[in-house]
Amino acid sequence: MDFHTWLIYLVAALGLSLSPGPNGLLALTHGALHGQRLTRFTIAGGALGFVVLIALSMFGIGALLQASLGWLAVLKWVGGAYLVWLGIQVWRSPPLGDTLAASAGGPVRAGVLFRQGFLSAVTNPKGILFFAAFLPQFIDPARALWPQFVVMAGTFALVEVATECFIAGAAHRIRPWLQRVGKTFNRACGGVFMAIGLALPLRG
């Protein structure tokens, strides 16, 4: 992956991490209920779950590419259409602040939080569909898949961890902000997805 493509991927990964989703909500909730230190286990579990989804998506795509490079063009256009659809869903979704759990729970163990973060990522049916749509926009079929996987998975995991650590640490402060501007925030994130879905299939 060349540096210019990686920068576009980085911006797209940041947009995905900031958009409303199960793991962002979990980091926000656990940050408010259990504090930032314990919530790091939730975040680590979620990051591992995303790496698993990226691996399943990329190597499934790689198997298709071995059969025919024409599949990459098909995946890009189908994936672009899915990203536009997902952007519309995010645009129309309720503000994240409105869905934050209001009740506190009892003491929890780190392993429980890690498992919750991991399962939240890998059991989200939209997750693998998103990565199957998102990753073909950046895969170079002329290069080995493993190095691209390491770069893409590593970049996304680091961005996700940094974003969710910020969310968890600022949980009490950003909840009122999300309740005030949550709808505008959703529309901004949805607009990013729609722009990616429209623009990236036209590249190269």
Side-chain angles (χ1 to χ4, degrees):
M1 178 183 289
D2 61 56
F3 184 69
H4 179 260
T5 301
W6 178 80
L7 281 179
I8 298 174
Y9 176 79
L10 177 63
V11 171
L14 183 60
L16 173 60
S17 294
L18 288 172
S19 67
N23 283 79
L25 177 60
L26 200 61
L28 185 63
T29 304
H30 285 184
L33 300 181
H34 308 304
Q36 187 176 19
R37 186 181 65 82
L38 278 175
T39 304
R40 289 173 184 164
F41 292 97
T42 307
I43 294 167
L48 178 60
F50 283 124
V51 169
V52 169
L53 289 184
I54 291 172
L56 291 173
S57 299
M58 281 195 72
F59 293 106
I61 292 165
L64 285 177
L65 295 183
Q66 287 181 350
S68 171
L69 287 179
W71 279 109
L72 184 59
V74 173
L75 286 172
K76 282 187 174 184
W77 284 102
V78 172
Y82 175 76
L83 292 177
V84 170
W85 177 84
L86 185 60
I88 293 170
Q89 302 307 306
V90 172
W91 181 290
R92 298 172 59 188
S93 63
L96 183 58
D98 289 354
T99 60
L100 181 60
S103 58
V108 293
R109 291 178 297 177
V112 172
L113 297 181
F114 182 90
R115 185 169 65 249
Q116 287 179 354
F118 178 80
L119 292 176
S120 177
V122 297
T123 61
N124 179 9
K126 292 182 180 178
I128 197 164
L129 290 175
F130 178 87
F131 285 117
F134 179 64
L135 297 176
Q137 318 296 341
F138 301 96
I139 290 175
D140 183 350
R143 298 184 181 183
L145 198 59
W146 266 106
Q148 295 183 79
F149 163 72
V150 171
V151 170
M152 289 186 185
T155 298
F156 188 85
L158 287 175
V159 168
E160 186 72 16
V161 166
T163 302
E164 291 188 12
C165 281
F166 169 77
I167 290 172
H172 291 289
R173 294 190 296 274
I174 66 174
R175 182 182 174 186
W177 177 79
L178 284 172
Q179 289 173 327
R180 290 196 308 272
V181 302
K183 197 63 180 176
T184 300
F185 181 73
N186 287 1
R187 288 175 177 173
C189 292
V192 169
F193 284 136
M194 287 185 273
I196 292 171
L198 291 171
L200 286 181
L202 300 176
R203 293 173 63 247

